[in-house]
Amino acid sequence: MYASRYLPITASHSKNAHTDAEELRFLLKAANLSQRTAAKYLNVDERTMRSWCAGDGKPPAPVLRALEFRAAYPAGLMRMIESNERTINAIQDGRITGLSDGPDAKVKCLVELERLKRLNEEHRAMLRMDRAFHRRQEAMLGMNEQWLPRGSGLPTDDSLDEFDAADEEFRAAQAECDRIAKDIRAGKR
């Protein structure tokens, strides 16, 4: 099982130098998950996750598939943003001068430029929403661990502050996505 076509190529994954621990660490990084969060996400013990990441033991294939799926969504959005940015730069630098023949070629380039900028704004908003959601979820899990029988019975001020900050970030990202959706429904995008 290899992190392949669905993830950006940011690390070498040759079959010769590949280990399950490297694969697991790569997927955790691509999914923007800590070992602790991934353990909770996958419903496995934290010590088990740490040992897999250290190379002690082999993670089951379903674990790698679940993380690959979790990592694919933000990675796909990032690839689209990067591709759009390259096209935007090419249009702005004059490397793409006409998307059609005729007198309206420049106008079509400008229309495409604005379309790509709007798409990137939408993709970035979805990425922020995804990251904010997972930050808020991790903060909630951190608070839940502090209830009895695992913790002292009450969340700490730090964990409450982190949840409040994560919730505020989530609400801001949600408002941005709602604004974009409203514009799309109104035909402004």
Side-chain angles (χ1 to χ4, degrees):
M1 167 126 268
Y2 296 94
S4 59
R5 64 178 190 215
Y6 300 112
L7 299 176
I9 301 170
T10 56
S12 173
H13 282 284
S14 70
K15 295 186 190 243
N16 299 337
H18 177 76
T19 67
D20 289 322
E22 288 171 347
E23 178 74 10
L24 184 58
R25 288 191 304 267
F26 172 78
L27 289 170
L28 290 176
K29 184 176 181 183
N32 195 26
L33 293 173
S34 66
Q35 289 179 14
R36 170 179 278 181
T37 306
K40 290 175 186 163
Y41 173 72
L42 297 165
N43 199 26
V44 298
D45 189 71
E46 286 180 41
R47 289 174 297 202
T48 303
M49 180 62 68
R50 280 196 303 271
S51 70
W52 289 341
C53 288
D56 301 329
K58 179 178 176 155
V63 165
L64 298 175
R65 278 196 300 273
L67 289 173
E68 198 169 285
F69 176 77
R70 169 66 185 98
Y73 176 72
L77 284 175
M78 285 304 300
R79 279 196 313 272
M80 285 189 275
I81 290 169
E82 291 164 1
S83 174
N84 289 346
E85 285 297 324
R86 285 192 300 274
T87 305
I88 287 168
N89 290 336
I91 292 172
Q92 290 174 336
D93 295 345
R95 290 180 280 142
I96 297 177
T97 56
L99 298 172
S100 69
D101 294 332
D104 62 345
K106 274 195 171 200
V107 172
K108 287 190 177 185
C109 275
L110 293 175
V111 168
E112 180 66 6
L113 183 68
E114 291 307 311
R115 185 186 75 80
L116 290 172
K117 287 180 179 179
R118 283 192 308 272
L119 277 176
N120 274 0
E121 179 187 11
E122 293 164 12
H123 295 328
R124 284 186 177 104
M126 288 187 292
L127 271 176
R128 279 190 290 277
M129 178 75 153
D130 183 62
R131 289 181 183 133
F133 171 79
H134 288 288
R135 178 184 176 200
R136 187 176 76 160
Q137 191 173 24
E138 189 168 344
M140 177 63 82
L141 288 171
M143 283 190 338
N144 284 344
E145 281 187 348
Q146 296 170 9
W147 296 104
L148 293 173
R150 293 184 188 159
S152 65
L154 293 174
T156 64
D157 288 339
D158 287 343
S159 65
L160 290 170
D161 291 342
E162 170 57 20
F163 179 78
D164 289 341
D167 191 53
E168 185 176 330
E169 179 186 356
F170 176 77
R171 290 181 191 279
Q174 188 175 34
E176 182 181 14
C177 287
D178 290 345
R179 176 190 58 81
I180 290 170
K182 184 178 175 184
D183 287 350
I184 290 170
R185 285 187 201 104
K188 296 178 183 176
R189 295 182 85 81

